[in-house]
Amino acid sequence: MGTACDDPIGIFDSGLGGLSVVQAIRRRLPAEQLLYVADCAYAPYGGRPTAFIRARALALAGFLQTQRAKALVVACNTATAAAAEALRRQLELPIIAMEPAVKLAAAATRCNVVGVLATEGTLASARFAGLLARFAGAVRVVTRPAPDLVLLVERGEIDGIEVMRRVQAHVSHLLRQGSDTIVLGCTHYPHLRPLIERAAGPEVAIIDTGPAVARELRRRLEEKGLARSSAGGGTIRIWTSAAVDSARAVSQRLIGSGHDALVIDALPNLPMLQSDAWMQATGR
Ligand code: DGL
C-alpha cells in the first residue's frame, strides 16, 4: 500500500521536551495525525556518545515507519547532529530535522553577538561547527550548554523560584558576553520561554526553531501531495520508553490539559543495531 494523506507524521525526541515541536506542528497543521515517541528511558541524549544516539534514532524512526509515518520530524537538535545523515541514508520518507537557528540569529543581532543555548552534544558536533562556518560570518557566537534545564523540563518543572534561578544563571552568562539574541538550540527550552524572556529582558530576541520546522514540514507535505486536508480534528498519540503514568502527567503539564484524549502507550522494546552489551557499556 502506498503513502496516503491520512497517514500520520512521525516525530521523536530524547524525551518529552520535543512536544514543543509537536505544538508548533499542531498550530500549522491542525488536521494531521501526530505520532510522537519520547525516548524518556534514555533522556537526556545531550552527554551521550554519538553512536548511541544514532542507534536509538534509527530504531525510533524504524518504529515510526511501522506505524505508517508519511514523514519524519527529528524534534531534537542533538539527534539531528548525531543521526540526520544516517536517517536520510536509510529511510525513503521526507525527513525534517532541526538545528540551532544560527543563520536567523546572525541576521537578527544588532550588536553582532548571538548566544546559543543547547546540549553539550549539539555544541560539540561537526554539524554545529559547520553551521557556524557557513552562517556566523562576522557575528560572535557565544555558547552555553544547559543540561540541567533539560532535566527540569523532563520532570515537568517549568516554573517556580528554583527553575527561574537556574534559567537566570544560563541567560546571565550569555548577556554578560554581550548577546542581544538568544537561540533556543534544544527543543526542551521553549517550555521555559516565559522564564527565559523574563531573565533576558525585552531588548533581547529569543529564537525558537519549532515554527520554522512546522512551516518546512507543511511545505514538504504539500510538495508531495501528502498534506491532510480537513478543517481540523488532528490527534496526538505518544509512546514513551519509560513509565506511562509520569509521561502522561508531564505531557499535560507541558502542552496543557486541553488534550483529554491524549493517548500514551509504552514503547515496545526496539531491535538495535548494536548488541545489548554494547548498549549497556556505552549508553546507561
Ligand atoms: N531536546 C533535545 C535537543 O533538542 C535533547 C535534550 C537532551 O536529551 O539532552 O537537543
Side-chain angles (χ1 to χ4, degrees):
M1 238 200 294
T3 311
C5 298
D6 284 339
D7 286 343
I9 295 165
I11 305 162
F12 77 88
D13 180 32
S14 62
L16 293 159
L19 285 172
S20 64
V21 183
V22 168
Q23 282 180 299
I25 294 172
R26 192 108 167 92
R27 264 178 233 124
R28 189 144 296 259
L29 293 161
E32 298 289 345
Q33 320 288 353
L34 307 182
L35 307 182
Y36 179 82
V37 178
D39 202 13
C40 302
Y42 297 98
Y45 278 0
R48 289 190 184 279
T50 302
F52 176 87
I53 300 169
R54 192 176 299 137
R56 281 310 287 172
L58 288 167
L60 302 180
F63 170 74
L64 286 163
Q65 271 198 308
T66 67
Q67 302 300 313
R68 298 195 50 84
K70 62 184 174 187
L72 180 73
V73 177
V74 184
C76 178
N77 296 264
T78 314
T80 295
E85 280 168 29
L87 289 166
R88 291 202 166 107
R89 262 198 312 274
Q90 300 214 4
L91 308 180
E92 300 261 313
L93 72 178
I95 297 176
I96 292 86
M98 36 207 309
E99 53 196 11
V102 172
K103 186 180 179 186
L104 255 178
T109 178
R110 284 154 290 131
C111 61
N112 282 347
V113 187
V114 160
V116 178
L117 284 176
T119 67
E120 304 97 305
T122 298
L123 296 175
S125 68
R127 200 177 170 103
F128 185 67
L131 271 182
L132 296 185
R134 267 184 299 150
F135 302 122
V139 168
R140 189 157 75 88
V141 177
V142 182
T143 60
R144 174 81 171 180
D148 51 335
L149 301 187
V150 172
L151 296 177
L152 289 170
V153 171
E154 279 304 298
R155 294 200 297 263
E157 294 175 31
I158 53 173
D159 52 29
I161 293 169
E162 176 54 22
V163 181
M164 185 62 190
R165 199 183 59 75
R166 283 163 180 267
V167 165
Q168 238 151 6
H170 294 296
V171 171
S172 313
H173 174 86
L174 299 176
L175 297 185
R176 272 198 305 273
Q177 318 252 350
S179 315
D180 67 351
T181 305
I182 295 179
V183 174
L184 305 184
C186 165
T187 54
H188 283 63
Y189 305 155
H191 298 289
L192 298 167
R193 186 172 182 144
L195 278 64
I196 293 170
E197 280 175 350
R198 210 181 325 145
E203 300 300 314
V204 175
I206 310 291
I207 300 186
D208 164 20
T209 332
V213 163
R215 269 198 308 279
E216 173 65 5
L217 172 63
R218 187 166 84 174
R219 193 189 67 75
R220 297 281 293 278
L221 292 177
E222 285 172 351
E223 179 184 82
K224 291 197 171 305
L226 285 177
R228 189 166 191 243
S229 51
S230 72
T235 55
I236 302 175
R237 179 162 187 206
I238 300 177
W239 284 268
T240 173
S241 52
V244 169
D245 286 348
S246 67
R248 182 174 297 110
V250 172
S251 304
Q252 280 172 354
R253 191 130 175 63
L254 298 182
I255 61 175
S257 50
H259 305 273
D260 288 345
L262 206 64
V263 180
I264 307 195
D265 288 310
L267 185 70
N269 278 333
L270 301 174
M272 302 282 289
L273 295 177
Q274 279 78 14
S275 69
D276 287 349
W278 181 89
M279 290 285 291
Q280 299 270 325
T282 58
R284 304 207 74 150

